[in-house]
Amino acid sequence: MKKSRLFGTLCAAVLSLVTLSSQAALVSVLGGQAVSDTDLGITWTGNANLADTVDFGVTGINADGTMTWDKAHEWIAAMNTANHLGFNDWRMPTTLQPDASCDQKDFGTGVGFGGGCTGSEMGHLANIEGVNSDGGPGAVVLGLFSNVLSTPYWSSSEFEPDPTDAWTLSFNGGDQRIGGKDSFNLVWAVSSGVSEAPVPASVWLFGSGLLGLIRIARRNKS
């Protein structure tokens, strides 16, 4: 009876671990160099300011990794040419227009801006997953990302009423705004290809122990 209870407990533990793993929205992949968002089916670079250290041969990037919107497109193109981390479909994240989830709607078009925006890919990361630059629940606690900064990040989406502007999002409060394309902001690359998340080592450990108990139980029974 004790063995059967122990067997059942281990089974429940393994199933619990597998379930928790499958429910995790943000999963570290590629040795921690990227993070997959299983909610949206996209993959972010683990370093939120990769351009600060890797320019892929592109000139005109500031020493802190900031760049203009056009330069950001050039950097992304060079990143794909380099097949960074085995991907060649890197891009800037997109912004939904209009976004009814935002707490403000203005600019004469009804488009959403301000805090609370969740319709954009960065808005989802900041305001649903809680990734932020201030050390609160997010990048620091999750331990998945590095160099998440408070400087706004570029979106690939132009501001539709004025193509000289593009959308940005700050991970210091999750504020979504527009900025002139000639201003200097950061770039956080995302890929539409999702890497398969490895099963945590703890699951394999429990599984191995479970198999061992099954073998013992069979030997005792015989």
Side-chain angles (χ1 to χ4, degrees):
M1 181 65 70
K2 290 182 179 179
K3 287 181 180 178
S4 62
R5 287 179 180 174
L6 180 59
F7 180 82
T9 301
L10 282 171
C11 285
V14 172
L15 288 173
S16 175
L17 283 170
V18 171
T19 300
L20 286 173
S21 176
S22 64
Q23 290 176 343
L26 297 177
V27 184
S28 180
V29 296
L30 302 177
Q33 296 183 85
V35 177
S36 286
D37 184 334
T38 59
D39 281 348
L40 301 183
I42 56 178
T43 299
W44 300 87
T45 56
N47 186 344
N49 189 18
L50 184 65
D52 183 39
T53 54
V54 185
D55 59 21
F56 297 108
V58 176
T59 59
I61 299 174
N62 293 330
D64 60 357
T66 59
M67 63 190 86
T68 65
W69 190 79
D70 288 333
K71 185 63 64 173
H73 278 281
E74 184 181 343
W75 181 74
I76 290 289
M79 188 178 186
N80 285 323
T81 298
N83 202 39
H84 183 63
L85 299 181
F87 290 83
N88 59 9
D89 65 343
W90 294 103
R91 57 179 175 79
M92 285 188 285
T94 59
T95 298
L96 181 66
Q97 297 183 84
D99 186 349
S101 66
C102 300
D103 60 13
Q104 299 180 61
K105 296 173 183 62
D106 202 347
F107 302 125
T109 63
V111 296
F113 73 102
C117 300
T118 59
S120 68
E121 291 171 330
M122 287 191 292
H124 179 89
L125 193 62
N127 298 314
I128 295 294
E129 303 300 346
V131 175
N132 59 76
S133 62
D134 63 6
V140 174
V141 176
L142 291 172
L144 296 174
F145 299 108
S146 62
N147 299 318
V148 180
L149 305 179
S150 58
T151 303
Y153 284 78
W154 283 121
S155 162
S156 65
S157 302
E158 297 177 322
F159 179 50
E160 291 177 355
D162 186 353
T164 64
D165 294 328
W167 286 100
T168 69
L169 186 133
S170 171
F171 285 88
N172 181 15
D175 207 29
Q176 183 170 288
R177 300 281 173 177
I178 60 170
K181 290 180 179 179
D182 57 352
S183 57
F184 294 96
N185 292 312
L186 298 170
V187 186
W188 196 344
V190 63
S191 167
S192 297
V194 178
S195 299
E196 288 295 327
V199 177
S202 55
V203 173
W204 294 117
L205 182 61
F206 269 93
S208 299
L210 184 60
L211 288 174
L213 283 177
I214 292 173
R215 292 191 185 99
I216 294 172
R218 286 177 176 174
R219 287 173 185 172
N220 291 339
K221 185 176 180 180
S222 60

